[in-house]
Amino acid sequence: MERLRQRLFPGILIGLLLLANLVSMNEKPAVTPTPAPQGDQGATVAYPDLPGRLIFRSGNELQQLADRKLRSIALPTPFALPGDARTAFAPNGNWVAGFTRQGDQSFLDAVDLASGAVTRLGSSEPGEMLWSPDSQQLAVWAGSRLEIFGFNRGNRLVQGGDGVRLTQAVWAPDGKRLAMEVTPPSAETSTIEVLDLSSPTGFERITQPTSHPFWAPNGEGLIFGRYVQEGSLATELVLRKPDGHEVILARVADLLQANPEVADIQGAIPHLTSIQGGYNPAEILFTLKFYSDVNPRFAIGSVNLPGTPVHLHLLPVFPDHPQNQNQTPPRPCYPGALYRSEASLLFVAHGFGCEGLVGRLEYSSLVPLKDVWTAPIGLVAPDGDYVLNQPAPGAMPTVTGLLSGGSTKMIPLYGEPIHWDRG
């Protein structure tokens, strides 16, 4: 019996080992759990269901949260984003661009957000940047220098004179032209120059003092603010069509009469401070300040193309706020960041009594500030529903629904939220 056991045991052992191998060969690959924040070993992180793709930066990685899943890609070392990190992301969602320094040289690199592969577009000093609408070209500017980079094409350098400052650059919807706001040395006002990329020397200068260039999304032309008098304020909203014909969308009288409260402001002078497109391709949104020694106020306005009446939404003032009680006149709320979404325009208001308030413009009507979330925001979802707030660097952020009853969701990530798109 003992001899039989000695003969059978090795066979049984070998059989068990073979069976174990067969079982492991038929198993599906194990799912690696997402590491928990702050090294909490063994915990599974539950990410909230959010629209689109939310991107965080953590060290030298980008963390991309989409469909309740997190994936990371490594960035070149070191990798610097522009001041407004959102402009580094291509409209098609495929690329993020940044500056990589190696020794004494700095380069412009584009990182594939799917694979992490790096494409070097050329040498470039850090500055501001903006992708073309087709995500094939990238404008980078700093000081008096602007350079156009692109895939499968040569780069193009534009160099202004000594002391000239390029303060803004915007792409035409077709990606063939670039409008630049240029401020000469010691000048109080700026001008706009349009670069035609199909021409080796194709520059068009708008000779009158102008500012805040913006291309109408429907291709109707270039929109800007015009200084009616040298050294004054930008008080006219102008559309310049491709053939050079100009249409005045709003004059001083229009801006003063578009809102009854504005009409009652003694000595008010409207001053355009920003221009951008609305959710309707034919709608132009702008912010302005009414300069007045009696009652300075800020407003957000909209006008449809071409030549429809101006709508103005005057931001409130809270004279009873503790920090306003000794102020004559009381300091008003003023617009901060503007966020264009697919359904509406969101804006942040600052000032005593309204710090961090979020407002919403929909179809030329203003949702009352008291009805919206009152915490400061950092990013807005592409559908305009959720806003993200990170109370302090390194803190866990939250998202709050503006259109879905104010529900709040925690995001178990501790990096820096820098972009939110459709993915």
Side-chain angles (χ1 to χ4, degrees):
M1 187 68 179
E2 182 62 26
R3 173 173 287 183
L4 180 61
R5 186 181 298 113
Q6 291 176 354
R7 290 180 178 178
L8 290 176
F9 184 79
I12 294 172
L13 179 60
I14 292 172
L16 290 173
L17 290 173
L18 287 173
L19 179 60
N21 286 336
L22 288 173
V23 170
S24 65
M25 288 170 60
N26 290 326
E27 284 181 345
K28 294 181 179 179
V31 176
T32 303
T34 304
Q38 297 184 343
D40 186 8
Q41 299 298 322
T44 300
V45 177
Y47 296 106
D49 185 18
L50 297 172
R53 175 181 60 180
L54 187 54
I55 299 179
F56 287 71
R57 180 166 187 174
S58 179
N60 218 44
E61 283 189 344
L62 286 187
Q63 301 170 325
Q64 303 177 67
L65 177 59
D67 298 325
R68 306 185 71 173
K69 298 176 182 177
L70 186 71
R71 57 180 298 271
S72 300
I73 61 167
L75 296 171
T77 303
F79 191 76
L81 294 169
D84 183 357
R86 294 172 298 176
T87 65
F89 292 86
N92 64 7
N94 295 340
W95 302 91
V96 61
F99 304 100
T100 305
R101 182 164 290 278
Q102 294 180 349
D104 295 334
Q105 270 195 299
S106 178
F107 299 91
L108 179 65
D109 289 341
V111 181
D112 189 315
L113 290 171
S115 67
V118 179
T119 299
R120 177 146 293 174
L121 297 174
S123 61
S124 174
E125 287 302 315
E128 301 304 316
M129 67 172 65
L130 190 66
W131 286 88
S132 61
D134 63 359
S135 302
Q136 294 301 300
Q137 299 180 87
L138 192 60
V140 177
W141 66 95
S144 62
R145 175 189 177 100
L146 179 141
E147 196 161 7
I148 309 295
F149 298 87
F151 296 112
N152 304 313
R153 68 187 76 193
N155 300 335
R156 181 166 179 173
L157 173 65
V158 177
Q159 187 75 47
D162 292 340
V164 170
R165 290 182 294 111
L166 303 178
T167 53
Q168 187 179 2
V170 287
W171 289 96
D174 59 7
K176 296 179 180 179
R177 289 161 296 166
L178 192 74
M180 300 171 290
E181 182 176 334
V182 180
T183 303
S186 304
E188 295 182 2
T189 57
S190 57
T191 59
I192 294 174
E193 295 187 5
V194 179
L195 172 63
D196 185 349
L197 298 177
S198 62
S199 169
T201 58
F203 268 99
E204 177 190 5
R205 175 171 294 173
I206 300 174
T207 55
Q208 291 176 295
T210 50
S211 62
H212 308 301
F214 177 81
W215 295 95
N218 59 2
E220 204 162 337
L222 180 67
I223 296 169
F224 50 84
R226 181 158 62 195
Y227 296 74
V228 177
Q229 296 178 353
E230 181 70 30
S232 65
L233 308 172
T235 55
E236 285 188 349
L237 187 66
V238 181
L239 165 66
R240 186 180 180 88
K241 296 195 172 185
D243 61 2
H245 177 66
E246 291 185 354
V247 178
I248 299 177
L249 302 175
R251 293 181 172 88
V252 171
D254 303 318
L255 297 172
L256 290 176
Q257 297 169 9
N259 184 298
E261 283 189 79
V262 172
D264 291 337
I265 298 176
Q266 185 177 353
I269 303 174
H271 171 206
L272 292 163
T273 57
S274 70
I275 303 171
Q276 71 175 46
Y279 35 87
N280 180 341
E283 183 167 55
I284 302 305
L285 301 155
F286 53 90
T287 60
L288 51 86
K289 177 178 181 179
F290 288 95
Y291 278 97
S292 168
D293 294 332
V294 178
N295 187 16
R297 297 293 292 273
F298 290 84
I300 293 178
S302 63
V303 60
N304 289 311
L305 300 178
T308 52
V310 175
H311 296 275
L312 276 190
H313 313 285
L314 200 63
L315 298 188
V317 59
F318 296 98
D320 294 332
H321 189 276
Q323 291 177 285
N324 247 344
Q325 290 178 356
N326 296 323
Q327 294 293 324
T328 304
R331 287 170 287 195
C333 296
Y334 59 93
L338 292 166
Y339 299 88
R340 177 188 174 194
S341 73
E342 297 168 357
S344 63
L345 171 83
L346 299 178
F347 65 91
V348 180
H350 298 293
F352 297 132
C354 55
E355 186 62 44
L357 283 167
V358 181
R360 192 169 67 245
L361 283 170
E362 293 180 338
Y363 305 107
S364 298
S365 64
L366 177 65
V367 175
L369 289 174
K370 63 182 178 62
D371 289 343
V372 299
W373 187 43
T374 58
I377 63 175
L379 295 175
V380 175
D383 62 1
D385 186 355
Y386 288 97
V387 294
L388 179 144
N389 171 43
Q390 188 177 38
M396 183 183 293
T398 60
V399 293
T400 300
L402 291 178
L403 310 178
S404 56
S407 60
T408 299
K409 303 180 181 182
M410 303 292 293
I411 303 178
L413 292 172
Y414 293 86
E416 176 191 3
I418 57 175
H419 190 61
W420 202 343
D421 62 12
R422 279 292 177 191

